[in-house]
Amino acid sequence: MMALSDFVAELDQLAAQAQEAFDAASSQETLEAARIEFLGAKSGRLKAIQKQMGKVDKADKPAAGKRLNEVKQAIEETFTEASERLASGDTAGSSDVVFDTSLPGTSLAFGRLHPISQTIDELMDIMGRLGFSAAEGPEIEDDWHNFEALNIPREHPARDPLDNFYLSTAKQNANAPDDVLLLRSQTSTVQIRVMSKTPPPIRIISLGRVYRPDTADATHYPMFHQMEGLLIDKQVTMADLKSVLRLFATSYLGSEVHIRFRPSFFPFTEPSVEADFSWNDNWIEFGGAGMVDPNVLKAVGYDPDEVTGFAFGLGVERLCMRRHGVSDIREFYKNDVRFLQQF
Ligand code: PHE
């Protein structure tokens, strides 16, 4: 036996499913297939339910029959509607995915610039306001630009293979230093490139990668970035150097910064200094600087009696780390998005 309520429930469920299938049809073929599934005379699903009417209690039969006819009519009507919809050319079955532009969106997580790229952009911006334009040089350098013109002679320890990434070791011998290629160990190479091509006055910065065979630790990495600065003009003094560095550091670190020079040595500057910035009551070393050595000016064809200048080379990672409180340089190159996303 079958209860009338079960019979009716089955009919209602079938009507809902038929409506869904007809609405979803996007062609006459799929609609016809759905029609046969539900209304097919021999083995349609409505027919199957109709056959169960024999199990319904005799007293309930009239009610069951009435309901059957109503549902059959309703299903036929939805079929007709769907058929008319398709005939009118509307093939977007209502359950097809439709792009609803009025729904509130989920924002996409866009990528962003690496913190070092962001730092470089900002440094260029600050130095640009001080009148320095950006210059570039290659990362693979030759002996002349990385050493010779920078007053680093043939026997100088700065050329030690343990301190440089030489590329063309086969050709490396004292008779043919011109063939030596290496990954530049400092951006000072760009000083030479710019001065050889341009007459004074010069006011440039150069930001880029440099390479040294250091073991990576919290403060060292075999590749890092430097910001080189070079200003050549008549009567440039060390006071100018100090002012420029102080203005730069105050702009970048966002508060009053003091500058301290400690005597140092670089072959391409005389005198040479290490530049320290005081920030939050600490003195921090940011790089080397000095007055351009007359030998360098001569090497690029300038007259040291006519022009003077200063140069500096600051560590970009170091600046970025100080500003953002990053304590390990290796974080920049692990490509861990949880770290990178913070910038
Ligand atoms: N090139 C030096 C270094 O890498 C820094 C420097 C640049 C020093 C310019 C003086 C002048 O350590």
Side-chain angles (χ1 to χ4, degrees):
M1 291 307 277
M2 187 176 196
L4 176 64
S5 57
D6 289 345
F7 184 75
V8 169
E10 278 200 39
L11 280 174
D12 289 347
Q13 201 191 353
L14 188 78
Q17 288 175 353
Q19 166 120 45
E20 206 176 300
F22 294 161
D23 285 352
S26 55
S27 68
Q28 291 289 357
E29 288 74 32
T30 46
L31 181 63
E32 178 59 12
R35 189 192 67 78
I36 291 169
E37 180 188 346
F38 289 94
L39 297 171
K42 269 193 228 130
S43 52
R45 290 171 63 182
L46 186 67
K47 198 79 191 170
I49 295 179
Q50 192 181 351
K51 281 179 190 156
Q52 295 186 42
M53 228 169 75
K55 291 195 244 159
V56 175
D57 197 273
K58 199 162 181 208
D60 288 334
K61 277 214 168 91
K66 184 165 175 268
R67 187 63 183 204
L68 181 82
N69 281 331
E70 282 168 6
V71 166
K72 186 173 179 209
Q73 220 178 334
I75 295 179
E76 278 167 357
E77 269 167 32
T78 49
F79 170 77
T80 311
E81 279 166 21
S83 178
E84 283 167 5
R85 168 176 64 80
L86 288 172
S88 77
D90 176 3
T91 53
S94 65
S95 76
D96 282 8
V97 182
V98 175
F99 184 67
D100 183 350
T101 50
S102 68
L103 284 173
T106 332
S107 62
L108 282 174
F110 285 116
R112 62 193 80 196
L113 287 180
H114 189 277
I116 294 300
S117 300
Q118 290 184 33
T119 305
I120 287 174
D121 287 350
E122 195 174 343
L123 300 185
M124 291 217 265
D125 201 51
I126 294 170
M127 295 307 290
R129 276 182 264 138
L130 294 175
F132 288 77
S133 50
E136 279 190 48
E139 288 176 27
I140 295 178
E141 267 297 4
D142 52 34
D143 181 272
W144 170 255
H145 294 94
N146 202 85
F147 298 125
E148 197 71 37
L150 285 167
N151 201 29
I152 303 174
R154 208 64 64 79
E155 303 308 324
H156 197 280
R159 293 170 175 253
D160 195 324
L162 292 176
D163 294 330
N164 295 281
F165 283 115
Y166 284 101
L167 295 178
S168 52
T169 43
K171 290 182 179 170
Q172 219 190 108
N173 63 64
N175 299 325
D178 293 348
D179 291 334
V180 170
L181 290 179
L182 75 164
L183 296 177
R184 69 179 177 192
S185 59
Q186 50 186 0
T187 44
S188 301
T189 54
V190 185
Q191 292 185 31
I192 304 304
R193 294 206 168 259
V194 170
M195 288 191 284
S196 327
K197 278 196 308 231
T198 331
I202 302 272
R203 196 185 269 238
I204 56 109
I205 48 162
S206 187
L207 283 135
R209 298 189 178 96
V210 299
Y211 301 84
R212 293 177 192 176
D214 288 327
T215 307
D217 62 21
T219 53
H220 295 87
Y221 207 75
M223 182 281 302
F224 60 99
H225 295 73
Q226 285 188 326
M227 175 169 79
E228 190 82 12
L230 174 69
L231 187 147
I232 306 277
D233 210 330
K234 296 203 164 98
Q235 298 175 358
V236 179
T237 70
M238 241 167 143
D240 299 318
L241 169 62
K242 212 165 187 176
S243 306
V244 165
L245 285 179
R246 199 180 72 78
L247 279 171
F248 160 74
T250 300
S251 298
Y252 181 67
L253 294 172
S255 57
E256 186 76 358
V257 180
H258 296 281
I259 300 287
R260 178 173 79 180
F261 282 164
R262 279 177 296 118
S264 185
F265 175 81
F266 297 101
F268 34 91
T269 46
E270 181 59 37
S272 302
V273 297
E274 297 288 344
D276 299 344
F277 299 167
S278 93
W279 196 54
N280 294 348
D281 296 328
N282 284 320
W283 284 106
I284 303 132
E285 185 190 318
F286 276 101
M291 303 306 291
V292 179
D293 194 291
N295 286 345
V296 175
L297 297 174
K298 275 186 232 153
V300 297
Y302 287 7
D303 180 354
D305 294 328
E306 280 286 309
V307 291
T308 53
F310 67 71
F312 58 85
L314 309 182
V316 174
E317 278 81 353
R318 210 176 264 195
L319 285 162
C320 178
M321 286 165 78
R322 185 55 54 179
R323 159 101 165 255
H324 296 286
V326 176
S327 53
D328 193 324
I329 190 175
R330 290 169 293 191
E331 294 289 355
F332 291 122
Y333 302 111
K334 276 187 195 156
N335 288 336
D336 183 338
V337 286
R338 288 168 302 178
F339 171 79
L340 298 173
Q341 261 168 359
Q342 301 175 82
F343 294 86

